[in-house]
Amino acid sequence: MTIIRQTSLFGIQELYKMEPTQRYDSIISEIDVDRIFHEVNKKSRRGAPVELNYAAMIISSFIRIVERIPTIKDLVKRLNDDFVFKLNCGFLVSDETPSEAAYSRLLTKLSDSSVLEEEQKKVVLQAIVEGFISDNTVAIDATHFEARDQAPPKEDKPKTEPKKRGRKPKEEREQWLLEQAEIEANLPLYEKKIEAQLDVPLTDLRAEVPQAPKWGIKKNSEGKNVFWYGYKGHLAVGTSSQYILQSLFSSGSLNDGKAAIPLLKGVKELALSSLRYQTMDAGYDYEPIYEQVHRMGNQSIIAYNKKNEREPIGFDKYFAPTCFREHSYRYDSFDANYETLKFTRPKECSSCPLANEGICQKVYKVKITQDLRRYTAPARGSKAWRTIFKRRTAVERVNAYLKEFFQLNNVRYRTGKRAKVHFDMITLIYNASKLAADRMNARLNQHKTA
């Protein structure tokens, strides 16, 4: 058995160097296959008898991801050609190899069930119980992947009548406002403003996520727009453990910020006592997201998006107060009881001729509830804030790892429901692999201590 050297993301690579039988057993043993089998197994005695080994089909579907087998057709061929591989997948000598159609029916049953999401949560909770997840920071981000089908031609939008210039009369404006409010109230949940999600239960938020393939747009590292037709995977990742604590599958057109509150509410349900910070990039800079993080008792470490806003007078670009000569006060500490940031005099005060004139305050205090978006703990621009924000790269590493090693970029299904099964399987296998590697590390450390 290959020695697992450390409990890091790369421990999974060491796991994959093991013999196939040991590797499959280590990963699949973390998943309750019996529960998934019960969900997809035939419930009625009526109709044609079931002759397929559904348990082995489920295991082989997971192993397809582990072994990076691109298609179901290739999986069936491998089962037919490699007798040892077939046995490793749990099939008996007497079992016939399932057809592609049989696997298609299995995926249909899984797409009509939430069993994969429930298994994902069980694996995460087990890792928390065993002490492998004790993060104080969660990083949230989205990644895109293309659909199998070619994108449909873009439809020409109907031309609208040009808007009348000038201010509407009072009665006409009131009527227009009522019409707009009615239109907003009748919109689907994810087409409304983000604040509409704050008081919606998590089950409803997950049930209404749009899943059909759509056109998406995102800026790349060079600041250029990238277009694709397909889906998005939204992840909430523990920055030190690098487990996927929550995941969400959506259409490619869904704004990243509209997936944040469902992810945050899912993280809250885990009741992770060590958690203190939620970190995200500027695409999540919306007031309702800060409000949700505050309701969780955590702090938001989110990059600020100016959105054509002017800098307030008497404050610097990080919203720290400035003195009479416009030097920034220094962040000192945060009082959690009163939710107050404390700033002290700028270092330039030591040589300032106005220092003893009583013009500038020695200490400046600001409650973060005054503006949750601008005032965070630790304060924006401080060394502590930058240190925590750098942890956000953990979710980017996990996204890249899922694409490179777990076939996230290889969606072979035409509908959003089946593509979601593919996504759920990938995140479940990733977490199961992490848990298997962490358990091996724990056993190895016990042997060394003994």
Side-chain angles (χ1 to χ4, degrees), residues 102-121:
Y103 277 103
S104 178
R105 290 192 293 271
L106 172 64
L107 289 171
T108 300
K109 292 181 179 180
L110 288 173
S111 67
D112 294 333
S113 168
S114 61
V115 66
L116 293 177
E117 292 181 10
E118 293 166 7
E119 280 304 303
Q120 170 84 312
K121 185 175 181 180

Side-chain angles (χ1 to χ4, degrees), residues 30-33 35-36 115-129 270 428 435 439:
E30 312 301 342
I31 302 170
D32 190 352
V33 177
R35 189 169 184 276
I36 301 174
V115 66
L116 293 177
E117 292 181 10
E118 293 166 7
E119 280 304 303
Q120 170 84 312
K121 185 175 181 180
K122 283 178 63 177
V123 171
V124 172
L125 289 174
Q126 186 61 37
I128 293 174
V129 169
L270 297 176
L428 177 56
L435 182 55
R439 281 176 171 172

Side-chain angles (χ1 to χ4, degrees), residues 51-113:
E51 299 178 353
L52 297 173
N53 188 339
Y54 269 116
M57 288 177 65
I58 294 167
I59 294 172
S60 61
S61 297
F62 288 134
I63 291 176
R64 170 185 162 244
I65 295 171
V66 173
E67 289 293 328
R68 305 171 200 169
I69 300 172
T71 65
I72 294 296
K73 181 178 180 180
D74 293 324
L75 174 62
V76 173
K77 185 176 186 301
R78 177 82 179 269
L79 290 170
N80 280 322
D81 296 344
D82 190 339
F83 182 70
V84 176
F85 175 77
K86 183 177 179 179
L87 294 179
N88 286 338
C89 289
F91 289 99
L92 302 177
V93 176
S94 57
D95 288 334
E96 292 185 4
T97 302
S99 63
E100 292 181 58
Y103 277 103
S104 178
R105 290 192 293 271
L106 172 64
L107 289 171
T108 300
K109 292 181 179 180
L110 288 173
S111 67
D112 294 333
S113 168

Side-chain angles (χ1 to χ4, degrees), residues 181-444:
E182 185 178 355
I183 292 171
E184 176 73 17
N186 293 326
L187 287 174
L189 179 59
Y190 282 89
E191 292 182 19
K192 295 180 180 178
K193 295 180 180 178
I194 298 178
E195 51 262 34
Q197 300 179 3
L198 282 169
D199 298 320
V200 178
L202 178 59
T203 51
D204 294 344
L205 287 173
R206 285 193 166 276
E208 296 191 36
V209 178
Q211 296 177 357
K214 297 288 185 181
W215 277 103
I217 179 173
K218 196 168 187 177
K219 288 189 181 295
N220 61 14
S221 57
E222 299 176 354
K224 297 180 180 179
N225 289 332
V226 177
F227 297 88
W228 79 95
Y229 179 76
Y231 312 101
K232 277 186 181 179
H234 308 266
L235 302 181
V237 173
T239 56
S240 59
S241 68
Q242 295 185 355
Y243 277 85
I244 299 173
L245 303 182
Q246 284 290 302
S247 61
L248 195 71
F249 173 87
S250 76
S251 299
S253 60
L254 185 70
N255 181 283
D256 291 358
K258 291 187 176 181
I261 290 178
L263 291 174
L264 289 168
K265 288 188 175 185
V267 170
K268 183 181 179 181
E269 286 194 348
L270 297 176
L272 191 58
S273 59
S274 59
L275 192 57
R276 293 184 61 191
Y277 306 108
Q278 305 286 341
T279 179
M280 308 167 215
D281 62 24
Y284 296 87
D285 183 30
Y286 295 95
E287 289 182 7
I289 297 176
Y290 291 90
E291 175 63 28
Q292 177 60 38
V293 174
H294 185 257
R295 291 183 183 184
M296 295 167 62
N298 295 160
Q299 301 298 332
S300 303
I301 308 297
I302 304 174
Y304 193 80
N305 189 348
K306 289 185 178 180
K307 301 177 183 178
N308 299 321
E309 299 172 358
R310 294 181 180 179
E311 292 184 6
I313 299 173
F315 297 85
D316 65 9
K317 63 180 180 179
Y318 298 117
F319 310 106
T322 56
C323 69
F324 185 78
R325 300 183 70 181
E326 297 188 355
H327 296 301
S328 299
Y329 277 67
R330 293 176 293 177
Y331 170 66
D332 180 82
S333 59
F334 173 67
D335 188 336
N337 292 329
Y338 295 96
E339 297 186 309
T340 302
L341 298 172
K342 179 182 177 182
F343 295 88
T344 56
R345 275 185 171 182
K347 60 181 180 180
E348 290 84 1
C349 284
S350 58
S351 58
C352 179
L354 302 176
N356 298 320
E357 298 295 328
I359 296 177
C360 300
Q361 293 181 221
K362 291 183 179 180
V363 176
Y364 205 107
K365 294 185 178 181
V366 181
K367 289 184 71 69
I368 62 171
T369 50
Q370 179 180 322
D371 191 332
L372 291 172
R373 184 166 166 248
R374 291 181 173 180
Y375 300 111
T376 64
R380 290 186 182 277
S382 64
K383 183 178 179 181
W385 189 95
R386 292 194 298 269
T387 299
I388 298 170
F389 184 72
K390 286 179 182 177
R391 300 174 190 168
R392 193 188 61 82
T393 57
V395 68
E396 295 177 349
R397 288 195 296 274
V398 173
N399 278 331
Y401 207 73
L402 293 182
K403 287 184 175 181
E404 185 174 358
F405 298 106
F406 289 84
Q407 301 195 67
L408 184 58
N409 268 339
N410 183 33
V411 177
R412 310 297 299 184
Y413 310 108
R414 297 181 184 276
T415 63
K417 289 182 69 175
R418 290 199 173 191
K420 182 181 182 299
V421 172
H422 179 75
F423 176 75
D424 288 341
M425 279 189 171
I426 286 171
T427 53
L428 177 56
I429 286 294
Y430 171 84
N431 274 349
S433 300
K434 282 287 297 175
L435 182 55
D438 285 345
R439 281 176 171 172
M440 289 181 185
N441 285 324
R443 288 195 292 268
L444 179 62

Side-chain angles (χ1 to χ4, degrees), residues 2-56:
T2 303
I3 295 175
I4 306 299
R5 295 187 178 88
Q6 54 184 358
T7 55
S8 68
L9 183 66
F10 303 100
I12 295 178
Q13 294 179 347
E14 301 296 333
L15 178 69
Y16 278 31
K17 292 177 184 177
M18 297 166 59
E19 291 296 322
T21 305
Q22 293 174 312
R23 180 167 69 250
Y24 302 159
D25 289 345
S26 299
I27 296 172
I28 302 302
S29 64
E30 312 301 342
I31 302 170
D32 190 352
V33 177
D34 290 340
R35 189 169 184 276
I36 301 174
F37 169 73
H38 178 74
E39 191 71 25
V40 302
N41 194 24
K42 187 177 177 181
K43 304 295 190 300
S44 173
R45 293 183 179 181
R46 296 181 180 180
V50 177
E51 299 178 353
L52 297 173
N53 188 339
Y54 269 116

